[in-house]
Amino acid sequence: KAGVTQTPRYLIKTRGQQVTLSCSPISGHRSVSWYQQTPGQGLQFLFEYFSETQRNKGNFPGRFSGRQFSNSRSEMNVSTLELGDSALYLCASSLVGAWGYTFGSGTRLTVV
Amino acid sequence: DAKTTQPPSMDCAEGRAANLPCNHSTISGNEYVYWYRQIHSQGPQYIIHGLKNNETNEMASLIITEDRKSSTLILPHATLRDTAVYYCIVRAPEGGGDDKIIFGKGTRLHILP
């Protein structure tokens, strides 16, 4: 079966712009989480959605937001981009009650 | 903050068993030990999890001490493709309303030819 699909794979944006990243979970998976990975901070939890509701949120500013659609696909948005937002953004999905998340390959965002 | 402590790096000869330790002295009674790995430029990959009994699957074995304060991930016959960063994580079962993974720094495993 298809894995977690993230689009686009690579993105270059200018400081001050906004960006939207997309994640399609594995079919049947209703929980979708987002993570930011940088060399300095490692993997950090952004937020988690289940049935179109945000259930958990990490310690990120309000510029970072997300949503989940009825088909479980999810998007995250970063507004007013800063240089420090350059990172690999990872999406993960899981079945409720299942063991282990499946991660996508990520979107590498570069802010210049 | 991550509830686990791992060595920052380890080396292992190809074909030998790689034993990756993890300390989780503050683990709660309902928390499981999970292991993920991340190969360069890819998303983390789930390896195995356990509560208190030792576990084995096609990828690895997980040995948890009786007091549950530490564990060891064992890759029985390491290959070059096992070179990755390995993350040890403790968390409550999924679906408990706190479905997030707190990653630490992990262990960078180098498999030497």
Side-chain angles (χ1 to χ4, degrees):
Chain A
K1 58 183 176 181
V4 177
T5 303
Q6 291 189 247
T7 56
R9 286 297 310 276
Y10 302 93
L11 203 52
I12 299 175
K13 287 288 189 177
T14 303
R15 193 170 46 182
Q17 286 186 313
Q18 73 157 10
V19 66
T20 299
L21 312 181
S22 178
C23 172
S24 293
I26 291 174
S27 178
H29 285 195
R30 295 167 63 191
S31 172
V32 174
S33 300
W34 289 89
Y35 293 80
Q36 181 197 64
Q37 186 171 31
T38 60
Q41 298 298 318
L43 275 157
Q44 293 187 287
F45 172 77
L46 279 158
F47 25 66
E48 186 253 347
Y49 287 88
F50 177 77
S51 292
E52 303 177 66
T53 300
Q54 186 182 89
R55 290 199 302 187
N56 286 289
K57 190 176 190 304
N59 296 323
F60 279 82
R63 300 185 297 107
F64 292 81
S65 63
R67 59 178 176 170
Q68 186 180 33
F69 302 96
S70 58
N71 61 358
S72 294
R73 190 177 71 85
S74 178
E75 290 181 347
M76 67 163 283
N77 183 277
V78 187
S79 62
T80 319
L81 284 165
E82 300 176 359
L83 296 179
D85 297 332
S86 295
L88 179 66
Y89 290 88
L90 291 158
C91 167
S93 74
S94 76
L95 281 169
V96 174
W99 304 108
Y101 279 83
T102 301
F103 283 80
S105 296
T107 294
R108 185 163 295 281
L109 171 66
T110 302
V111 182
V112 298
Chain B
D1 289 344
K3 298 178 67 172
T4 61
T5 304
Q6 299 176 252
S9 67
M10 292 182 63
D11 292 338
C12 178
E14 189 177 17
R16 304 298 292 270
N19 297 287
L20 292 93
C22 178
N23 287 322
H24 31 80
S25 59
T26 61
I27 190 170
S28 300
N30 69 333
E31 288 181 320
Y32 284 69
V33 179
Y34 287 79
W35 283 83
Y36 284 77
R37 74 179 181 184
Q38 187 174 23
I39 296 170
H40 183 61
S41 297
Q42 298 182 21
Q45 175 191 24
Y46 164 81
I47 301 173
I48 198 168
H49 76 279
L51 182 62
K52 55 183 177 180
N53 298 320
N54 298 338
E55 302 288 345
T56 296
N57 63 19
E58 65 279 4
M59 290 182 67
S61 294
L62 174 59
I63 308 297
I64 303 174
T65 58
E66 192 168 345
D67 63 8
R68 304 207 325 122
K69 293 185 177 181
S70 65
S71 61
T72 301
L73 178 75
I74 301 172
L75 308 178
H77 305 286
T79 70
L80 296 177
R81 288 176 294 181
D82 292 322
T83 293
V85 177
Y86 287 77
Y87 296 97
C88 170
I89 296 143
V90 297
R91 61 190 293 265
E94 291 179 33
D98 186 19
D99 285 345
K100 60 178 182 246
I101 304 174
I102 307 298
F103 287 91
K105 300 294 186 185
T107 294
R108 186 171 297 275
L109 177 66
H110 300 276
I111 305 301
L112 308 174

